[in-house]
Amino acid sequence: MPQVLEFKLPDLGEGLTEAEIVRWLVEVGDVVAIDQPVVEVETAKAMVEVPCPYGGVVTARFGEEGTELPVGSPLLTVAVGSAEGDLPGDLSGKGADGAESSGNVLVGYGTGAPAARRRRVRPEAISAAAEPVAEQVRVPVTASAPAPGPIPAPVPDEASGPVAVVSPLVRRLARQHDLDLRQLTGSGRDGLILRADVESAIKAAVNGTAVAPSVPVPVSPPASGPAPVSASLAGERIPLRGVRGAVADKLARSRREIPDATCWVDADATELMAARAAMNGAGGPTAGPKVSVLALLARICTAALARFPELNSTVDLEAREIVRLPAVHLGFAAQTERGLVVPVVRDAQSRNAESIGAEIGRLTEAARTGKLTPAELTGGTFTLNNYGVFGVDGSTPIINHPEAAMLGVGRIVPKPWVHRGELAVRQVVQLSLTFDHRVCDGGTAGGFLRYVADCVEQPALLLRTL
């Protein structure tokens, strides 16, 4: 008789509490191998394929595509153990306790066994012990949800009266838009109110259109007093979730917690551009990838941070201490179709410009294809933001919390410049440094920025730190 095991959404990275189901890779009745990817989810940091640690027959899936699930909630259940010879030997998964699992949760860290070809199993091959599981609710209760069971009894909402809602995400969405859940009729099993029901009601209220009979119009606000913000603002509603939501949360937290200040300077980048041309032309046609301007600026940053370590730090609010970090994990802003991400070059202080450039190229390509892992998007200690690629000269960057500083680089353009006592046309760039005023004063920040500008104008200065 098969043993039914439950696989819960694992913790996919630092500080992640939920993930959105993008695409199911298996269906109920499919045979899965240990560590076979079963679902593709999008977290606030990356798109990830989640492998199942059990081998057997999928008996239930929890959550439709587009649903957000908290970490620890059920993803699917698997019937482990052969029945009437229908399960291949390598999928039976039996062990000392009757079940075997790899314990791995991320693709690339599994047992390395090839994924079995997906196939259906005859319904009669699944024991009656698995049948109740397939009928269970597909909406988790909390991040620490117990084993799935029948739909719980309706829970009273903030107002009196029972509401058929078990998802805290649905309740939160309704509260944000001043919806009375008691006025909605759910489209889920046994009248369960789903996220789609709430979103339909919100859209109907904003557009002033009729709502489908199964979703009554939300209660109108009282005649007295100001109308709710959600009702007074018409237009397209775009949920702040996934990458966009993570960026919004981090930037808002940065503004709330960090007393930042910005200083900037113009620099003559003519010599830097000439040095780059010489480096890329020295190897001939058989040379490796070209060294980018961003890689050179990153190398300059690591040299500057060695001189001004105050800016490679973070603040421990609870201990009221500044923590100076020993390694430079250099983040760089990259704009992708999914939004702004900040991949991290590990141990940048031990790399030369060519090595940094190669790693930036690899991470940029992974960002464009949505294949960055959570580990490649976390742990940065300083960020380099090249907004010059958008054709702008300057900005006041928002610090990438919990870091202490960010260097912004504008476009490099020909401008009139006094060079050796004479007016000339030179390649000029504006550099701006936003820093946490708790970790240092303006003298340190100005010294860092001035050193960076000096290295841009005279790249030979870098030889002193090599």
Side-chain angles (χ1 to χ4, degrees):
M1 178 180 296
Q3 177 184 8
V4 178
L5 300 179
E6 180 183 83
F7 175 43
K8 297 181 179 181
L9 177 65
D11 183 356
L12 300 172
E14 300 178 16
L16 296 179
T17 60
E18 59 189 21
E20 178 181 341
I21 296 176
V22 176
R23 181 168 59 99
W24 281 105
L25 305 178
V26 295
E27 297 182 10
V28 174
D30 285 351
V31 175
V32 295
I34 293 175
D35 288 341
Q36 176 181 334
V38 293
V39 64
E40 185 179 59
V41 301
E42 181 179 20
T43 71
K45 300 181 183 297
M47 199 89 73
V48 180
E49 287 187 349
V50 181
C52 180
Y54 310 122
V57 179
V58 177
T59 58
R61 301 186 317 192
F62 300 90
E64 302 299 328
E65 294 179 356
T67 302
E68 283 187 343
L69 299 180
V71 169
S73 60
L75 265 181
L76 49 77
T77 53
V78 177
V80 176
S82 60
E84 300 180 6
D86 275 338
L87 296 185
D90 60 337
L91 298 182
S92 62
K94 286 189 175 180
D97 60 350
E100 176 184 331
S101 71
S102 70
N104 298 301
V105 295
L106 291 180
V107 173
Y109 295 87
T111 59
R117 182 180 179 182
R118 200 174 83 181
R119 67 178 180 89
R120 297 281 181 185
V121 173
R122 300 192 309 274
E124 60 270 19
I126 303 177
S127 169
E131 292 177 1
V133 180
E135 298 299 326
Q136 292 166 353
V137 186
R138 300 191 180 188
V139 181
V141 179
T142 63
S144 57
I151 297 177
V155 182
D157 199 21
E158 287 78 358
S160 61
V163 181
V165 179
V166 296
S167 170
L169 297 175
V170 171
R171 289 182 175 276
R172 182 177 64 185
L173 183 62
R175 284 196 301 270
Q176 290 172 345
H177 294 276
D178 299 315
L179 289 179
D180 187 346
L181 290 172
R182 294 172 300 163
Q183 302 300 314
L184 302 185
T185 301
S187 60
R189 188 183 299 115
D190 295 335
L192 185 68
I193 297 177
L194 306 177
R195 178 174 183 162
D197 301 323
V198 176
E199 290 177 341
S200 295
I202 293 170
K203 183 177 180 181
V206 171
N207 296 335
T209 57
V211 188
S214 62
V215 186
V217 179
V219 175
S220 301
S224 60
V229 174
S230 60
S232 62
L233 295 179
E236 181 184 3
R237 297 277 176 155
I238 302 175
L240 277 174
R241 64 188 187 192
V243 174
R244 186 71 262 163
V247 170
D249 293 342
K250 177 162 281 196
L251 296 182
R253 183 177 183 183
S254 178
R255 280 296 194 217
R256 286 195 308 268
E257 296 185 6
I258 299 178
D260 58 348
T262 303
C263 52
W264 58 89
V265 66
D266 288 343
D268 180 359
T270 306
E271 296 301 325
L272 180 70
M273 300 303 289
R276 173 176 176 263
M279 293 173 64
N280 290 334
T286 60
K290 303 293 185 182
V291 176
S292 65
V293 174
L294 186 63
L296 292 176
L297 291 169
R299 180 63 187 89
I300 291 173
C301 283
T302 61
L305 290 172
R307 289 179 168 241
F308 300 92
E310 298 92 333
L311 295 170
N312 193 60
S313 62
T314 189
V315 175
D316 186 339
L317 288 176
E318 293 185 2
R320 292 187 61 82
E321 294 175 341
I322 297 172
V323 183
R324 292 189 182 177
L325 304 170
V328 177
H329 300 317
L330 188 69
F332 64 95
Q335 191 70 40
T336 70
E337 292 183 357
R338 297 177 60 240
L340 179 68
V341 295
V342 184
V344 177
V345 177
R346 304 284 171 181
D347 298 309
Q349 81 284 351
S350 62
R351 299 172 180 262
N352 58 23
E354 186 177 73
S355 174
I356 292 176
E359 183 67 357
I360 288 176
R362 184 188 72 82
L363 293 170
T364 299
E365 180 60 26
R368 288 173 178 166
T369 57
K371 295 182 179 179
L372 283 172
T373 66
E376 292 170 331
L377 288 165
T378 55
T381 63
F382 184 93
T383 296
L384 177 60
N385 186 3
N386 180 21
Y387 43 75
V389 295
F390 302 117
V392 297
D393 295 326
S395 78
T396 55
I398 299 178
I399 295 173
N400 188 20
H401 184 280
E403 299 170 12
M406 176 185 290
L407 180 69
V409 182
R411 60 177 181 164
I412 301 175
V413 293
K415 288 185 178 180
W417 190 265
V418 177
H419 177 66
R420 296 179 181 175
E422 296 183 358
L423 188 63
V425 175
R426 306 285 287 180
Q427 299 291 321
V428 179
V429 62
Q430 184 179 101
L431 307 170
S432 57
L433 176 72
T434 296
F435 64 99
D436 186 338
H437 223 312
R438 296 173 298 179
V439 305
C440 69
D441 296 324
T444 300
F448 174 93
L449 187 59
R450 186 64 257 170
Y451 179 79
V452 170
D454 289 344
C455 288
V456 167
E457 295 183 342
Q458 304 174 59
L461 288 176
L462 277 177
L463 295 175
R464 299 177 183 175
T465 62
L466 294 178

Short mmCIF file of all heavy atoms in Angstrom, two decimals, residues 157-208:
data_model
loop_
_atom_site.label_atom_id
_atom_site.label_comp_id
_atom_site.label_asym_id
_atom_site.label_seq_id
_atom_site.Cartn_x
_atom_site.Cartn_y
_atom_site.Cartn_z
N ASP A 157 -14.71 37.31 9.86
CA ASP A 157 -13.85 38.38 9.36
C ASP A 157 -13.79 39.47 10.42
O ASP A 157 -14.32 39.34 11.52
CB ASP A 157 -14.40 38.91 8.04
CG ASP A 157 -13.34 39.66 7.27
OD1 ASP A 157 -12.13 39.44 7.54
OD2 ASP A 157 -13.71 40.44 6.40
N GLU A 158 -13.13 40.62 10.06
CA GLU A 158 -13.04 41.72 10.99
C GLU A 158 -14.45 42.17 11.39
O GLU A 158 -14.71 42.52 12.53
CB GLU A 158 -12.28 42.88 10.37
CG GLU A 158 -10.78 42.64 10.24
CD GLU A 158 -10.42 41.74 9.08
OE1 GLU A 158 -11.35 41.26 8.38
OE2 GLU A 158 -9.22 41.50 8.87
N ALA A 159 -15.36 42.21 10.42
CA ALA A 159 -16.75 42.47 10.74
C ALA A 159 -17.41 41.15 11.14
O ALA A 159 -16.90 40.08 10.87
CB ALA A 159 -17.46 43.10 9.55
N SER A 160 -18.57 41.24 11.78
CA SER A 160 -19.22 40.02 12.23
C SER A 160 -19.72 39.22 11.04
O SER A 160 -20.08 39.76 10.01
CB SER A 160 -20.38 40.39 13.15
OG SER A 160 -21.33 41.17 12.46
N GLY A 161 -19.79 37.92 11.23
CA GLY A 161 -20.30 37.06 10.18
C GLY A 161 -19.22 36.16 9.63
O GLY A 161 -18.07 36.55 9.54
N PRO A 162 -19.57 34.91 9.27
CA PRO A 162 -18.59 33.97 8.74
C PRO A 162 -18.22 34.29 7.30
O PRO A 162 -19.03 34.79 6.53
CB PRO A 162 -19.31 32.62 8.84
CG PRO A 162 -20.77 32.99 8.73
CD PRO A 162 -20.91 34.32 9.41
N VAL A 163 -16.96 34.02 6.96
CA VAL A 163 -16.47 34.24 5.60
C VAL A 163 -15.70 33.00 5.17
O VAL A 163 -14.84 32.52 5.90
CB VAL A 163 -15.53 35.47 5.52
CG1 VAL A 163 -15.06 35.67 4.10
CG2 VAL A 163 -16.26 36.71 6.01
N ALA A 164 -16.00 32.47 3.99
CA ALA A 164 -15.34 31.27 3.49
C ALA A 164 -14.01 31.63 2.87
O ALA A 164 -13.86 31.65 1.65
CB ALA A 164 -16.24 30.55 2.50
N VAL A 165 -13.05 31.97 3.69
CA VAL A 165 -11.70 32.32 3.24
C VAL A 165 -10.70 31.65 4.17
O VAL A 165 -10.83 31.74 5.39
CB VAL A 165 -11.46 33.85 3.28
CG1 VAL A 165 -10.05 34.16 2.83
CG2 VAL A 165 -12.46 34.57 2.39
N VAL A 166 -9.72 30.97 3.61
CA VAL A 166 -8.68 30.37 4.44
C VAL A 166 -7.31 30.93 4.13
O VAL A 166 -6.35 30.65 4.82
CB VAL A 166 -8.65 28.82 4.28
CG1 VAL A 166 -9.93 28.21 4.78
CG2 VAL A 166 -8.41 28.45 2.82
N SER A 167 -7.17 31.71 3.07
CA SER A 167 -5.88 32.25 2.67
C SER A 167 -5.65 33.63 3.28
O SER A 167 -6.44 34.56 3.04
CB SER A 167 -5.78 32.35 1.14
OG SER A 167 -4.62 33.08 0.77
N PRO A 168 -4.59 33.81 4.08
CA PRO A 168 -4.30 35.14 4.61
C PRO A 168 -3.98 36.15 3.52
O PRO A 168 -4.20 37.35 3.68
CB PRO A 168 -3.08 34.90 5.52
CG PRO A 168 -2.47 33.64 5.03
CD PRO A 168 -3.60 32.82 4.51
N LEU A 169 -3.47 35.67 2.37
CA LEU A 169 -3.17 36.59 1.27
C LEU A 169 -4.45 37.19 0.70
O LEU A 169 -4.50 38.37 0.34
CB LEU A 169 -2.39 35.84 0.18
CG LEU A 169 -1.02 35.31 0.59
CD1 LEU A 169 -0.43 34.49 -0.55
CD2 LEU A 169 -0.11 36.44 0.95
N VAL A 170 -5.50 36.37 0.60
CA VAL A 170 -6.78 36.86 0.09
C VAL A 170 -7.37 37.88 1.06
O VAL A 170 -7.89 38.92 0.66
CB VAL A 170 -7.75 35.68 -0.14
CG1 VAL A 170 -9.14 36.19 -0.47
CG2 VAL A 170 -7.23 34.79 -1.27
N ARG A 171 -7.30 37.60 2.35
CA ARG A 171 -7.82 38.53 3.35
C ARG A 171 -7.08 39.87 3.28
O ARG A 171 -7.68 40.94 3.35
CB ARG A 171 -7.70 37.94 4.75
CG ARG A 171 -8.68 36.79 5.00
CD ARG A 171 -8.53 36.28 6.43
NE ARG A 171 -9.54 35.27 6.69
CZ ARG A 171 -10.79 35.53 7.07
NH1 ARG A 171 -11.15 36.80 7.22
NH2 ARG A 171 -11.65 34.58 7.30
N ARG A 172 -5.77 39.79 3.17
CA ARG A 172 -4.97 41.02 3.13
C ARG A 172 -5.33 41.84 1.89
O ARG A 172 -5.47 43.07 1.97
CB ARG A 172 -3.49 40.68 3.11
CG ARG A 172 -2.58 41.91 3.12
CD ARG A 172 -1.12 41.50 3.19
NE ARG A 172 -0.73 40.75 2.02
CZ ARG A 172 0.46 40.19 1.86
NH1 ARG A 172 1.36 40.27 2.80
NH2 ARG A 172 0.74 39.53 0.76
N LEU A 173 -5.49 41.19 0.74
CA LEU A 173 -5.83 41.90 -0.49
C LEU A 173 -7.19 42.59 -0.35
O LEU A 173 -7.36 43.73 -0.79
CB LEU A 173 -5.85 40.92 -1.67
CG LEU A 173 -6.13 41.50 -3.06
CD1 LEU A 173 -5.05 42.50 -3.44
CD2 LEU A 173 -6.22 40.39 -4.09
N ALA A 174 -8.13 41.92 0.29
CA ALA A 174 -9.46 42.51 0.48
C ALA A 174 -9.39 43.72 1.40
O ALA A 174 -10.02 44.75 1.15
CB ALA A 174 -10.42 41.46 1.04
N ARG A 175 -8.62 43.60 2.47
CA ARG A 175 -8.48 44.73 3.40
C ARG A 175 -7.86 45.94 2.71
O ARG A 175 -8.26 47.08 2.94
CB ARG A 175 -7.65 44.32 4.62
CG ARG A 175 -8.38 43.46 5.62
CD ARG A 175 -7.63 43.43 6.94
NE ARG A 175 -6.28 42.91 6.80
CZ ARG A 175 -5.97 41.63 6.92
NH1 ARG A 175 -6.92 40.74 7.19
NH2 ARG A 175 -4.72 41.22 6.80
N GLN A 176 -6.85 45.70 1.87
CA GLN A 176 -6.17 46.80 1.19
C GLN A 176 -7.10 47.58 0.28
O GLN A 176 -6.88 48.76 0.01
CB GLN A 176 -4.97 46.26 0.39
CG GLN A 176 -3.83 45.76 1.26
CD GLN A 176 -2.76 45.06 0.44
OE1 GLN A 176 -2.97 44.69 -0.71
NE2 GLN A 176 -1.59 44.87 1.04
N HIS A 177 -8.14 46.91 -0.22
CA HIS A 177 -9.06 47.57 -1.15
C HIS A 177 -10.45 47.78 -0.55
O HIS A 177 -11.41 48.03 -1.27
CB HIS A 177 -9.16 46.74 -2.44
CG HIS A 177 -7.89 46.69 -3.21
ND1 HIS A 177 -7.50 47.67 -4.09
CD2 HIS A 177 -6.86 45.79 -3.19
CE1 HIS A 177 -6.32 47.36 -4.60
NE2 HIS A 177 -5.92 46.24 -4.09
N ASP A 178 -10.53 47.70 0.79
CA ASP A 178 -11.78 48.00 1.50
C ASP A 178 -12.96 47.16 0.98
O ASP A 178 -14.06 47.67 0.77
CB ASP A 178 -12.12 49.49 1.38
CG ASP A 178 -11.04 50.36 1.99
OD1 ASP A 178 -10.58 50.03 3.09
OD2 ASP A 178 -10.66 51.36 1.36
N LEU A 179 -12.71 45.88 0.75
CA LEU A 179 -13.77 44.99 0.29
C LEU A 179 -14.35 44.23 1.48
O LEU A 179 -13.61 43.76 2.35
CB LEU A 179 -13.24 43.99 -0.74
CG LEU A 179 -12.86 44.53 -2.11
CD1 LEU A 179 -12.35 43.38 -2.97
CD2 LEU A 179 -14.04 45.20 -2.78
N ASP A 180 -15.67 44.11 1.52
CA ASP A 180 -16.35 43.30 2.52
C ASP A 180 -16.46 41.88 1.98
O ASP A 180 -17.24 41.61 1.06
CB ASP A 180 -17.73 43.89 2.80
CG ASP A 180 -18.41 43.19 3.98
OD1 ASP A 180 -17.93 42.10 4.38
OD2 ASP A 180 -19.39 43.73 4.49
N LEU A 181 -15.66 40.97 2.52
CA LEU A 181 -15.64 39.60 2.01
C LEU A 181 -16.99 38.91 2.17
O LEU A 181 -17.29 37.95 1.44
CB LEU A 181 -14.55 38.80 2.74
CG LEU A 181 -13.11 39.19 2.39
CD1 LEU A 181 -12.14 38.48 3.31
CD2 LEU A 181 -12.81 38.85 0.94
N ARG A 182 -17.82 39.38 3.10
CA ARG A 182 -19.13 38.76 3.28
C ARG A 182 -20.04 38.98 2.07
O ARG A 182 -21.03 38.28 1.90
CB ARG A 182 -19.79 39.31 4.54
CG ARG A 182 -19.07 38.93 5.84
CD ARG A 182 -19.67 39.68 7.01
NE ARG A 182 -19.55 41.12 6.82
CZ ARG A 182 -20.26 42.02 7.50
NH1 ARG A 182 -21.14 41.62 8.38
NH2 ARG A 182 -20.08 43.30 7.28
N GLN A 183 -19.69 39.99 1.24
CA GLN A 183 -20.52 40.29 0.08
C GLN A 183 -20.07 39.54 -1.17
O GLN A 183 -20.65 39.72 -2.24
CB GLN A 183 -20.48 41.80 -0.20
CG GLN A 183 -20.94 42.66 0.96
CD GLN A 183 -22.38 42.36 1.35
OE1 GLN A 183 -23.25 42.27 0.49
NE2 GLN A 183 -22.64 42.20 2.64
N LEU A 184 -19.03 38.73 -1.05
CA LEU A 184 -18.52 37.99 -2.21
C LEU A 184 -18.94 36.53 -2.13
O LEU A 184 -18.97 35.94 -1.05
CB LEU A 184 -17.00 38.07 -2.28
CG LEU A 184 -16.37 39.47 -2.35
CD1 LEU A 184 -14.87 39.36 -2.54
CD2 LEU A 184 -16.98 40.28 -3.48
N THR A 185 -19.23 35.97 -3.28
CA THR A 185 -19.52 34.54 -3.38
C THR A 185 -18.33 33.87 -4.05
O THR A 185 -18.00 34.19 -5.19
CB THR A 185 -20.79 34.29 -4.20
OG1 THR A 185 -21.88 34.95 -3.56
CG2 THR A 185 -21.08 32.79 -4.31
N GLY A 186 -17.69 32.98 -3.34
CA GLY A 186 -16.48 32.37 -3.86
C GLY A 186 -16.74 31.40 -4.98
O GLY A 186 -17.78 30.74 -5.03
N SER A 187 -15.78 31.31 -5.88
CA SER A 187 -15.88 30.37 -7.00
C SER A 187 -15.16 29.07 -6.73
O SER A 187 -15.14 28.17 -7.56
CB SER A 187 -15.30 31.02 -8.27
OG SER A 187 -13.93 31.36 -8.08
N GLY A 188 -14.55 28.96 -5.56
CA GLY A 188 -13.85 27.74 -5.20
C GLY A 188 -14.78 26.67 -4.69
O GLY A 188 -16.01 26.85 -4.59
N ARG A 189 -14.19 25.54 -4.34
CA ARG A 189 -14.98 24.42 -3.84
C ARG A 189 -15.70 24.81 -2.56
O ARG A 189 -15.14 25.43 -1.66
CB ARG A 189 -14.05 23.22 -3.57
CG ARG A 189 -14.80 21.93 -3.22
CD ARG A 189 -13.83 20.80 -2.90
NE ARG A 189 -12.98 20.50 -4.05
CZ ARG A 189 -11.67 20.70 -4.05
NH1 ARG A 189 -11.08 21.22 -3.00
NH2 ARG A 189 -10.95 20.38 -5.12
N ASP A 190 -16.99 24.47 -2.48
CA ASP A 190 -17.84 24.79 -1.33
C ASP A 190 -17.92 26.29 -1.08
O ASP A 190 -18.04 26.75 0.07
CB ASP A 190 -17.33 24.08 -0.07
CG ASP A 190 -17.44 22.56 -0.18
OD1 ASP A 190 -18.30 22.09 -0.97
OD2 ASP A 190 -16.69 21.87 0.51
N GLY A 191 -17.83 27.09 -2.16
CA GLY A 191 -17.97 28.53 -2.01
C GLY A 191 -16.74 29.23 -1.48
O GLY A 191 -16.81 30.39 -1.05
N LEU A 192 -15.58 28.58 -1.49
CA LEU A 192 -14.36 29.17 -0.98
C LEU A 192 -13.98 30.40 -1.81
O LEU A 192 -13.97 30.35 -3.04
CB LEU A 192 -13.21 28.16 -1.02
CG LEU A 192 -11.89 28.60 -0.40
CD1 LEU A 192 -12.03 28.74 1.11
CD2 LEU A 192 -10.79 27.61 -0.74
N ILE A 193 -13.72 31.51 -1.15
CA ILE A 193 -13.33 32.75 -1.84
C ILE A 193 -11.87 32.67 -2.22
O ILE A 193 -11.00 32.54 -1.34
CB ILE A 193 -13.61 33.98 -0.96
CG1 ILE A 193 -15.10 34.10 -0.67
CG2 ILE A 193 -13.10 35.25 -1.64
CD1 ILE A 193 -15.46 35.24 0.26
N LEU A 194 -11.58 32.78 -3.50
CA LEU A 194 -10.22 32.71 -4.02
C LEU A 194 -9.70 34.10 -4.32
O LEU A 194 -10.46 35.08 -4.37
CB LEU A 194 -10.18 31.84 -5.28
CG LEU A 194 -10.77 30.43 -5.15
CD1 LEU A 194 -10.70 29.72 -6.50
CD2 LEU A 194 -10.02 29.64 -4.09
N ARG A 195 -8.42 34.17 -4.58
CA ARG A 195 -7.80 35.45 -4.92
C ARG A 195 -8.42 36.03 -6.20
O ARG A 195 -8.64 37.24 -6.31
CB ARG A 195 -6.29 35.26 -5.11
CG ARG A 195 -5.57 36.53 -5.52
CD ARG A 195 -4.09 36.29 -5.53
NE ARG A 195 -3.37 37.51 -5.86
CZ ARG A 195 -2.08 37.70 -5.62
NH1 ARG A 195 -1.39 36.77 -5.01
NH2 ARG A 195 -1.49 38.81 -5.95
N ALA A 196 -8.75 35.17 -7.16
CA ALA A 196 -9.33 35.65 -8.41
C ALA A 196 -10.67 36.32 -8.16
O ALA A 196 -11.03 37.28 -8.85
CB ALA A 196 -9.50 34.48 -9.39
N ASP A 197 -11.43 35.83 -7.17
CA ASP A 197 -12.72 36.44 -6.86
C ASP A 197 -12.54 37.87 -6.35
O ASP A 197 -13.27 38.79 -6.73
CB ASP A 197 -13.46 35.62 -5.80
CG ASP A 197 -13.71 34.18 -6.27
OD1 ASP A 197 -13.98 34.01 -7.47
OD2 ASP A 197 -13.62 33.27 -5.45
N VAL A 198 -11.56 38.05 -5.47
CA VAL A 198 -11.30 39.37 -4.91
C VAL A 198 -10.79 40.32 -6.00
O VAL A 198 -11.21 41.48 -6.09
CB VAL A 198 -10.29 39.29 -3.75
CG1 VAL A 198 -9.93 40.68 -3.23
CG2 VAL A 198 -10.85 38.45 -2.62
N GLU A 199 -9.88 39.83 -6.85
CA GLU A 199 -9.35 40.69 -7.92
C GLU A 199 -10.44 41.10 -8.90
O GLU A 199 -10.45 42.23 -9.40
CB GLU A 199 -8.21 39.96 -8.63
CG GLU A 199 -6.96 39.82 -7.78
CD GLU A 199 -5.86 39.04 -8.47
OE1 GLU A 199 -6.17 38.31 -9.44
OE2 GLU A 199 -4.69 39.15 -8.05
N SER A 200 -11.37 40.20 -9.18
CA SER A 200 -12.48 40.54 -10.09
C SER A 200 -13.35 41.63 -9.48
O SER A 200 -13.80 42.56 -10.16
CB SER A 200 -13.31 39.30 -10.38
OG SER A 200 -12.55 38.35 -11.09
N ALA A 201 -13.61 41.53 -8.18
CA ALA A 201 -14.42 42.54 -7.51
C ALA A 201 -13.72 43.89 -7.49
O ALA A 201 -14.35 44.94 -7.67
CB ALA A 201 -14.73 42.07 -6.08
N ILE A 202 -12.40 43.88 -7.28
CA ILE A 202 -11.64 45.13 -7.28
C ILE A 202 -11.71 45.79 -8.66
O ILE A 202 -11.94 46.99 -8.79
CB ILE A 202 -10.18 44.85 -6.88
CG1 ILE A 202 -10.10 44.40 -5.43
CG2 ILE A 202 -9.32 46.10 -7.08
CD1 ILE A 202 -8.74 43.88 -5.02
N LYS A 203 -11.48 44.99 -9.70
CA LYS A 203 -11.50 45.52 -11.06
C LYS A 203 -12.87 46.10 -11.40
O LYS A 203 -12.99 47.16 -12.01
CB LYS A 203 -11.13 44.42 -12.04
CG LYS A 203 -11.04 44.88 -13.48
CD LYS A 203 -10.58 43.75 -14.40
CE LYS A 203 -10.49 44.22 -15.85
NZ LYS A 203 -10.06 43.12 -16.75
N ALA A 204 -13.92 45.40 -11.00
CA ALA A 204 -15.27 45.87 -11.28
C ALA A 204 -15.56 47.18 -10.55
O ALA A 204 -16.18 48.09 -11.09
CB ALA A 204 -16.29 44.81 -10.89
N ALA A 205 -15.08 47.29 -9.29
CA ALA A 205 -15.33 48.51 -8.52
C ALA A 205 -14.59 49.69 -9.12
O ALA A 205 -15.11 50.81 -9.17
CB ALA A 205 -14.90 48.29 -7.07
N VAL A 206 -13.37 49.46 -9.59
CA VAL A 206 -12.57 50.55 -10.15
C VAL A 206 -13.14 51.02 -11.48
O VAL A 206 -13.25 52.21 -11.76
CB VAL A 206 -11.10 50.09 -10.33
CG1 VAL A 206 -10.32 51.13 -11.12
CG2 VAL A 206 -10.46 49.89 -8.97
N ASN A 207 -13.54 50.06 -12.33
CA ASN A 207 -14.04 50.40 -13.66
C ASN A 207 -15.50 50.81 -13.67
O ASN A 207 -16.02 51.30 -14.68
CB ASN A 207 -13.83 49.22 -14.62
CG ASN A 207 -12.37 48.91 -14.82
OD1 ASN A 207 -11.52 49.78 -14.67
ND2 ASN A 207 -12.07 47.67 -15.17
N GLY A 208 -16.18 50.58 -12.56
CA GLY A 208 -17.60 50.93 -12.50
C GLY A 208 -18.47 50.03 -13.35
O GLY A 208 -19.55 50.42 -13.79
#
